Amino acid sequence: IKGLEVGPKDAPPVLLFHGWLDNCHSFLPLLTALPNNRRYISLDLTGHGYSTHKPAGTYGLILDRVADLENIRNSLGLEKFTLIGHSMAGILSMLYTATYPDRIDKTVVLDSIFPFVKEPSEVVKNLRKSV
């Protein structure tokens, strides 16, 4: 996973993930307008920008990306963070937040749709089983 990071290392972390046809640099205009008292980490999802692709024979399901995001959080050593997702990553952000609400301070979704079609209690139960 590749990306860019701006802001103080000891500031509250904000992870930013881009839409389907974008990369981590898509957030550069937004980053100039956000407060400078946060640690912003904008990452290329697998198969986008400078990040590598998934191995041959694997699928790119959105639920796989929930597991990827959890692995990223763990690798960065983040206990709690704010999550900003655009378009496809907006759906990813909502799914991650529903699956791991205790790890999220805030979730911001830009230009996306709501992915759930079941009762919230069923969605969380099913997500936890599938990840």
Side-chain angles (χ1 to χ4, degrees):
I1 297 291
K2 303 288 183 184
L4 59 95
E5 183 175 342
V6 296
K9 295 263 188 211
D10 60 343
V14 179
L15 290 183
L16 300 99
F17 289 95
H18 58 78
W20 184 255
L21 296 176
D22 293 316
N23 61 59
C24 68
H25 292 90
S26 300
F27 285 109
L28 286 176
L30 178 62
L31 289 173
T32 64
L34 293 174
N36 60 5
N37 62 347
R38 299 283 186 269
R39 176 185 178 199
Y40 298 102
I41 306 165
S42 180
L43 298 171
D44 285 329
L45 294 166
T46 53
H48 295 265
Y50 291 110
S51 289
T52 58
H53 289 266
K54 295 263 187 183
T58 60
Y59 298 100
L61 302 174
I62 193 78
L63 291 178
D64 292 336
R65 294 192 185 277
V66 172
D68 291 345
L69 180 46
E70 176 57 10
N71 289 332
I72 290 166
R73 181 208 61 81
N74 192 44
S75 294
L76 292 171
L78 304 178
E79 192 171 316
K80 288 190 91 156
F81 61 97
T82 294
L83 181 57
I84 299 176
H86 170 248
S87 190
M88 170 191 67
I91 297 169
L92 168 60
S93 298
M94 288 184 273
L95 292 171
Y96 182 88
T97 300
T99 308
Y100 300 105
D102 55 314
R103 297 186 176 115
I104 295 294
D105 283 323
K106 295 177 183 81
T107 301
V108 178
V109 176
L110 307 170
D111 191 27
S112 193
I113 60 171
F114 193 68
F116 303 131
V117 294
K118 293 186 178 245
E119 291 298 316
S121 61
E122 287 297 308
V123 171
V124 172
K125 182 175 73 176
N126 289 340
L127 282 174
R128 287 185 185 237
K129 277 199 256 182
S130 65
V131 170

